């Protein structure tokens, strides 16, 4: 990931002295005994990395002839269940699962499509498409095509190709691209919208850094402000998400978490999805950005809005340093 000059760090790491058979045994006791021992389930699953959880699921199947995900679904409920089950998916499968439910659930969740497709690398998108096909026997791009519309659809389709240039930067081209973006903000025709999304979806992050700088020079305006002024709806939200991810992914996710917690009265799905998906990538950085930008720690805000085992599980994924509490 292109991230400037700081180290990218998650909050969940491989557990040392890991023993999947012992973990599977403890989970079996916790899930199949009288009264489910939820704290034990949290302690085991949030303190192991994803690869280790998959090994636990395998040991669990060997030991009990049962599917751990099914047992979690049967014994847990509500949002707490969503967290613990979500932890059991490999990252690409989890993305696929979230996209499927965002498009095929009771109501269309455009923000989930935006969060995932605006932020994933080519490799992550490729694996996500494979997982989607395996899990749902559907083509991700075809589903996006049939469930969305307009320039929002065009942009999502483009991102879902996963063909962004990588590591390539050309200063001369940056000024040209910036001009195109500036014109697209003035003219707003279908063709201009198309040119804008082509640049934002296909140029490398390094290139786009330069393009945004050039855009500022040409127009005297920040690209995000320009997009917000010129466009509206989910198309505008998606374009802004791409720009924010290019600039700093942890800041983007901190902003999305803050909105999900404060603007939408704790939008559980968004909070769960971001915490799980970023837990081994950059959740530590997201926490730092959250604190810098909003004054309160993510830990504090989750504690304030969630409760019970659900709160305990989210806080365990969020982890936290003493000064965050």
């Amino acid at each position: 990931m292109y991230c400037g000059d700081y180290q990218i760090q998650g909050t969940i790491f491989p557990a040392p002295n890991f023993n999947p058979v012992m973990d599977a045994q403890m989970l079996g006791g916790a899930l199949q005994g009288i009264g489910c021992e939820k704290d034990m389930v949290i302690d085991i699953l949030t303190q192991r990395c994803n690869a280790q959880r998959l090994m636990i699921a395998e040991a669990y199947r060997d030991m009990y002839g049962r599917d751990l995900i099914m047992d979690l679904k049967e014994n847990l409920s509500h949002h707490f269940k969503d967290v613990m089950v979500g932890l059991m998916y490999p990252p690409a499968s989890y993305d696929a699962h979230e996209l499927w439910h965002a498009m095929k659930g009771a109501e269309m969740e455009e923000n989930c499509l935006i969060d995932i497709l605006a932020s994933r690398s080519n490799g992550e998108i490729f694996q996500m498409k494979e997982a989607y096909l395996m899990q749902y026997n559907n083509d991700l791009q075809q589903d996006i095509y049939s469930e969305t519309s307009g320039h929002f659809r065009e942009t999502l389709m483009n991102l879902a190709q996963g063909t962004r240039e990588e590591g390539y930067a050309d200063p001369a081209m940056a000024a040209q691209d910036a001009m195109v973006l500036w014109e697209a903000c003035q003219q707003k025709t279908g063709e201009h919208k198309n040119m804008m999304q082509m640049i934002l979806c296909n140029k490398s992050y390094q290139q786009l850094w330069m393009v945004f700088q050039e855009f500022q020079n040409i127009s005297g305006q920040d690209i995000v402000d320009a997009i917000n002024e010129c466009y509206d709806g989910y198309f505008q939200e998606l374009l802004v998400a791409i720009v924010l991810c290019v600039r700093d992914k942890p800041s983007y996710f901190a902003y999305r978490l803050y909105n999900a917690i404060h603007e939408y009265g704790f939008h559980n799905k968004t909070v769960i999805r971001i915490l799980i998906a970023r837990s081994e990538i950059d959740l530590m950085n997201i926490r730092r950005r959250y604190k810098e930008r909003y004054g309160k720690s993510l830990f504090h805000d989750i504690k304030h809005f969630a409760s019970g085992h659900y709160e305990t599980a989210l806080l365990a994924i969020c982890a936290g340093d003493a000064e965050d509490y």
Side-chain angles (χ1 to χ4, degrees), residues 254-267 290 294:
Y255 153 74
R256 288 287 296 128
L257 281 166
Y258 186 84
N259 272 7
I261 292 170
H262 294 275
E263 306 291 310
Y264 300 104
F266 211 85
H267 192 265
Y290 194 99
Y294 303 110

Side-chain angles (χ1 to χ4, degrees), residues 7-171:
Q7 196 192 347
I8 294 289
Q9 199 182 21
T11 53
I12 293 179
F13 304 95
N17 314 318
F18 170 61
N19 182 336
V21 174
M22 194 188 288
D23 284 347
Q25 210 166 356
M26 305 275 274
L27 281 172
L31 290 170
Q32 296 174 30
I34 299 165
C36 176
E37 292 173 55
K38 298 184 177 80
D39 290 315
M40 170 88 73
V41 176
I42 295 171
D43 285 347
I44 294 174
L45 295 182
T46 63
Q47 303 307 310
R48 309 288 182 269
C49 70
N50 187 262
Q52 290 175 331
R53 289 183 214 120
L54 299 180
M55 289 162 76
I56 294 170
E58 215 171 297
Y60 190 92
R61 182 178 276 112
D62 292 345
M63 198 176 288
Y64 300 107
R66 298 168 66 92
D67 183 311
L68 179 54
I69 287 185
M70 293 310 292
D71 281 359
L72 289 168
K73 284 180 176 174
E74 274 173 30
N75 286 284
L76 311 177
S77 59
H78 304 307
H79 301 306
F80 176 49
K81 173 180 74 179
D82 297 337
V83 177
M84 303 323 288
V85 169
L87 287 169
M88 295 307 302
Y89 286 99
S93 300
Y94 186 59
D95 278 349
H97 171 270
E98 292 296 291
L99 290 170
W100 168 264
H101 286 280
M103 290 190 281
K104 306 290 187 181
E107 57 188 65
M108 179 71 177
E109 286 185 66
E110 286 87 355
N111 280 319
C112 172
L113 302 185
I114 293 172
D115 271 355
I116 293 176
L117 290 167
S119 66
R120 302 306 193 251
S121 67
N122 289 348
E124 287 168 333
I125 286 170
F126 178 75
Q127 290 179 315
M128 173 203 309
K129 287 196 287 194
E130 291 217 305
Y132 195 92
L133 189 60
M134 287 268 300
Q135 281 157 241
Y136 305 108
N137 204 19
N138 274 31
D139 179 84
L140 175 62
Q141 282 161 289
Q142 279 178 353
D143 279 354
I144 291 171
Y145 190 83
S146 61
E147 301 293 338
T148 58
S149 62
H151 290 282
F152 179 55
R153 170 166 74 188
E154 300 303 316
T155 312
L156 288 173
M157 294 286 286
N158 201 340
L159 290 169
Q161 285 176 355
T163 51
R164 184 183 294 285
E165 291 168 2
E166 287 176 342
Y168 176 74
D170 174 354

Side-chain angles (χ1 to χ4, degrees), residues 182-298:
W182 190 64
E183 277 175 24
C185 285
Q186 307 306 306
Q187 312 281 349
K188 296 187 255 192
T189 66
E191 194 185 338
H192 282 92
K193 287 180 184 176
N194 210 30
M195 277 153 47
M196 178 176 243
Q197 64 93 355
M198 291 294 283
I199 291 172
L200 293 181
C201 294
N202 295 312
K203 302 287 179 168
S204 73
Y205 274 25
Q206 292 87 329
Q207 180 73 10
L208 287 172
W209 269 82
M210 292 194 293
V211 173
F212 300 157
Q213 196 51 59
E214 288 288 348
F215 185 92
Q216 178 87 44
N217 298 343
I218 294 167
S219 67
Q221 195 178 26
D222 184 77
I223 180 90
V224 171
D225 296 333
I227 292 169
N228 284 336
E229 272 177 30
C230 301
Y231 297 114
D232 56 17
Y234 291 116
F235 177 59
Q236 167 249 326
E237 285 185 41
L238 179 54
L239 296 181
V240 168
I242 297 168
V243 174
L244 297 179
C245 285
V246 169
R247 286 187 167 157
D248 187 61
K249 271 181 205 176
S251 288
Y252 169 71
F253 285 116
Y255 153 74
R256 288 287 296 128
L257 281 166
Y258 186 84
N259 272 7
I261 292 170
H262 294 275
E263 306 291 310
Y264 300 104
F266 211 85
H267 192 265
N268 295 286
K269 283 182 179 174
T270 302
V271 175
I272 293 169
R273 181 178 64 250
I274 294 174
L275 288 186
I276 291 178
R278 308 312 290 184
S279 61
E280 290 181 45
I281 301 175
D282 53 5
L283 188 51
M284 192 66 85
N285 308 80
I286 293 168
R287 270 180 32 197
R288 213 166 287 141
R289 290 284 188 265
Y290 194 99
K291 184 89 181 271
E292 287 164 9
R293 188 161 175 186
Y294 303 110
K296 293 242 167 59
S297 70
L298 180 57

Side-chain angles (χ1 to χ4, degrees), residues 287 291 299 320-325:
R287 270 180 32 197
K291 184 89 181 271
F299 194 94
D321 307 320
E323 72 266 17
D324 265 359
Y325 283 33

